Amino acid sequence: GENVEQHPSTLSVQEGDSAVIKCTYSDSASNYFPWYKQELGKRPQLIIDIRSNVGEKKDQRIAVTLNKTAKHFSLHITETQPEDSAVYFCAASDMNRDDKIIFGKGTRLHILP
Amino acid sequence: DAGVIQSPRHEVTEMGQEVTLRCKPISGHDYLFWYRQTMMRGLELLIYFNNNVPIDDSGMPEDRFSAKMPNASFSTLKIQPSEPRDSAVYFCASSRFTGAKNIQYFGAGTRLSVL
């Protein structure tokens, strides 16, 4: 089945700087790549997603890029703010079923004042 | 809609006891997922249902774990007997799969502590 690797596991950036979180996936047939944000003590929530027929998608300060050839996708957060502090999970649809997604292990992002 | 509702929010039990976690999905959603979250293993998919039918239970750790979905508005995850290593946060999520998107909406989770 699908395997999703996520790096780094922890990331600290100064407020106002950019943050980048990277993921790789194993199955070239995966075609849906969502990102979820989980604030401390809260539930994971979708923040952005991308399908394999699109190379980049942007929503205000967040963007996701996808390189299908290399099986890489990344989350970019610009002009980081304190409320961006959270755990971010990437995910990829399973090779056999689009209705099933496999999560990476998460990146804990700290925004430093 | 109130979102995905899980109960209880916290459960503390002793090793060997039976634990039942409950979930009410969002009305109209046809998929329901059970996840376990730990620091070491992240978010693990345990089992998921489509139209109340279990589709994939390959993530269920062992026979001590079982899940049911008797109707479209209710699901349970049972652990019998419970062990300390089962301590984790258990999330239920639901979605309405359109073919293009599969946005999962998570419940608030049940924090389970097995002593």
Side-chain angles (χ1 to χ4, degrees):
Chain A
E2 177 68 275
N3 183 46
V4 178
E5 299 284 339
Q6 184 170 350
H7 301 280
S9 57
T10 306
L11 177 62
S12 296
V13 300
Q14 291 293 138
E15 183 178 347
D17 288 352
S18 296
V20 180
I21 301 170
K22 298 181 179 182
C23 291
T24 60
Y25 59 99
S26 59
D27 178 37
S28 55
S30 294
N31 58 15
Y32 177 61
F33 306 91
W35 286 84
Y36 284 76
K37 175 184 179 182
Q38 185 180 26
E39 296 178 3
L40 188 63
K42 301 288 181 64
R43 70 195 76 188
Q45 292 186 293
L46 181 78
I47 54 171
I48 194 168
D49 56 10
I50 192 169
R51 291 200 66 87
S52 58
N53 57 349
V54 175
E56 183 173 356
K57 185 175 178 180
K58 197 171 182 180
D59 183 3
Q60 299 182 355
R61 295 186 298 107
I62 60 172
V64 57
T65 57
L66 172 65
N67 181 330
K68 282 216 70 178
T69 304
K71 292 187 279 188
H72 288 174
F73 58 116
S74 301
L75 179 72
H76 305 252
I77 307 174
T78 58
E79 300 172 20
T80 52
Q81 300 171 5
E83 56 264 35
D84 295 330
S85 292
V87 177
Y88 292 81
F89 293 94
C90 64
S93 57
D94 187 63
M95 55 184 287
N96 293 318
R97 297 190 65 98
D98 276 3
D99 53 3
K100 175 182 176 180
I101 58 173
I102 306 301
F103 284 90
K105 285 194 166 40
T107 296
R108 185 171 297 277
L109 176 62
H110 300 276
I111 306 301
L112 306 173
Chain B
D1 200 309
V4 176
I5 299 173
Q6 290 186 246
S7 65
R9 290 295 312 277
H10 303 274
E11 177 80 33
V12 180
T13 191
E14 292 188 346
M15 184 173 64
Q17 296 297 306
E18 178 179 295
V19 175
T20 299
L21 311 181
R22 297 173 176 79
C23 177
K24 177 179 165 53
I26 293 172
S27 177
H29 282 189
D30 54 352
Y31 280 85
L32 184 139
F33 305 83
W34 282 101
Y35 291 93
R36 177 171 66 178
Q37 185 175 32
T38 60
M39 288 293 292
M40 290 297 294
R41 302 172 72 91
L43 265 174
E44 297 176 275
L45 176 65
L46 300 177
I47 186 171
Y48 75 101
F49 296 83
N50 176 219
N51 292 324
N52 314 337
V53 176
I55 302 300
D56 186 338
D57 66 354
S58 59
M60 296 286 260
E62 48 200 272
D63 292 346
R64 298 185 297 107
F65 285 69
S66 62
K68 293 181 180 179
M69 192 164 185
N71 57 61
S73 58
F74 184 65
S75 177
T76 59
L77 178 68
K78 187 176 292 187
I79 309 172
Q80 166 63 17
S82 58
E83 296 183 3
R85 60 193 167 118
D86 301 331
S87 298
V89 178
Y90 291 81
F91 285 103
C92 173
S94 71
S95 70
R96 188 166 56 135
F97 183 53
T98 65
K101 282 207 183 251
N102 183 19
I103 300 174
Q104 295 186 19
Y105 296 86
F106 284 75
T110 295
R111 183 173 295 277
L112 174 64
S113 297
V114 183
L115 307 177

